[in-house]
Amino acid sequence: MMVDTQVRPSDVTKFPIIDAMLSVPRERFVPASLREAAYVGENLTLPGGRTMLEPRTLSKMLDALDVKPTDVMLDVGCGLGYGTAVAARLAEFVVALEDDETRAAEAQANLSDAGVDNAAVITGDLTEGVAKSGPYDVIVIHGAVEFVPDALLAQLRDGGRIAALFAQGALGTVRIGLKTDGRVDWRDAFNAGAPVIAGFAKAPVFAL
């Protein structure tokens, strides 16, 4: 029902994405208290302020990124691992990044329980990425941003793609960046909303 009412009507029709969304049990990647709400068409707030993106937003991001079976992906702010599990069915390998050891361990356990063997969860600063495992063909950020740190952009392979939801008040815009000759050029993809991730907000500017 989630796929039929939230994913397909959003013009996401690529079979690998539909199959991944059908195959990964979303309720396994949320706390027990949220399992009844796992398939609603809205973002879910996870412990620690992490956001589980609504199915529409996640699927349209992956669709716009055109993830290939040979791609290595960096999944920033993976929460409890749902987006990582979906992406792992599309990419060759997914490096998932979380900044909380407990949350990262739970995400890794969820992935193992779901039989995902081509993803690994790393604990570290989300704004710094995981340079040792890069460069990456694809980068996804789970949550809104006001800017994308240079450290993440530097880890994108030339020809690689990145998806980020840029906050603009209550509603934001998902943009897809393509790196060419060391430079990332952005295009608007679709509108969506989510809370800004800690560390991805611009410093306030005070003017007299």
Side-chain angles (χ1 to χ4, degrees):
M1 185 177 294
M2 178 191 78
V3 170
D4 288 341
T5 61
Q6 299 175 50
V7 178
R8 285 192 174 106
S10 299
D11 295 324
V12 178
T13 58
K14 292 176 183 171
F15 175 77
I17 298 175
I18 296 294
D19 184 55
M21 300 290 282
L22 286 171
S23 301
V24 177
R26 191 171 163 93
E27 72 276 7
R28 285 191 180 184
F29 296 87
V30 298
S33 61
L34 291 177
R35 283 178 185 160
E36 290 188 2
Y39 291 97
V40 299
E42 60 186 46
N43 298 323
L44 295 180
T45 300
L46 302 176
R50 189 66 67 239
T51 299
M52 185 180 198
L53 294 174
E54 62 173 327
R56 169 190 174 272
T57 300
L58 176 63
S59 62
K60 286 180 73 67
M61 275 184 164
L62 295 174
D63 184 52
L65 287 166
D66 192 25
V67 183
K68 297 176 173 58
T70 56
D71 284 343
V72 176
M73 177 187 291
L74 176 62
D75 203 36
V76 179
C78 72
L80 298 181
Y82 174 72
T84 304
V86 173
R89 297 185 68 90
L90 307 173
E92 181 175 358
F93 195 84
V94 181
V95 177
L97 179 61
E98 258 304 334
D99 58 9
D100 178 82
E101 288 187 6
T102 300
R103 190 162 52 240
E106 188 171 351
Q108 188 66 69
N110 289 339
L111 292 167
S112 296
D113 290 345
V116 179
D117 59 5
N118 62 329
V121 184
I122 306 297
T123 304
D125 186 334
L126 302 188
T127 65
E128 293 296 323
V130 187
K132 65 181 181 181
S133 300
Y136 301 97
D137 302 291
V138 179
I139 297 177
V140 176
I141 303 174
H142 288 271
V145 305
E146 292 181 350
F147 76 104
V148 178
D150 289 340
L152 290 181
L153 298 178
Q155 292 168 37
L156 191 63
R157 188 188 306 279
D158 213 47
R161 294 88 66 207
I162 179 172
L165 200 178
F166 286 84
Q168 297 171 331
L171 194 63
T173 302
V174 171
R175 294 174 182 153
I176 304 299
L178 174 65
K179 191 170 190 178
T180 306
D181 296 329
R183 172 182 170 179
V184 176
D185 293 310
W186 297 90
R187 66 174 176 83
D188 291 353
F190 60 94
N191 292 330
V196 175
I197 306 171
F200 289 80
K202 291 181 179 178
V205 177
F206 297 97
L208 296 176

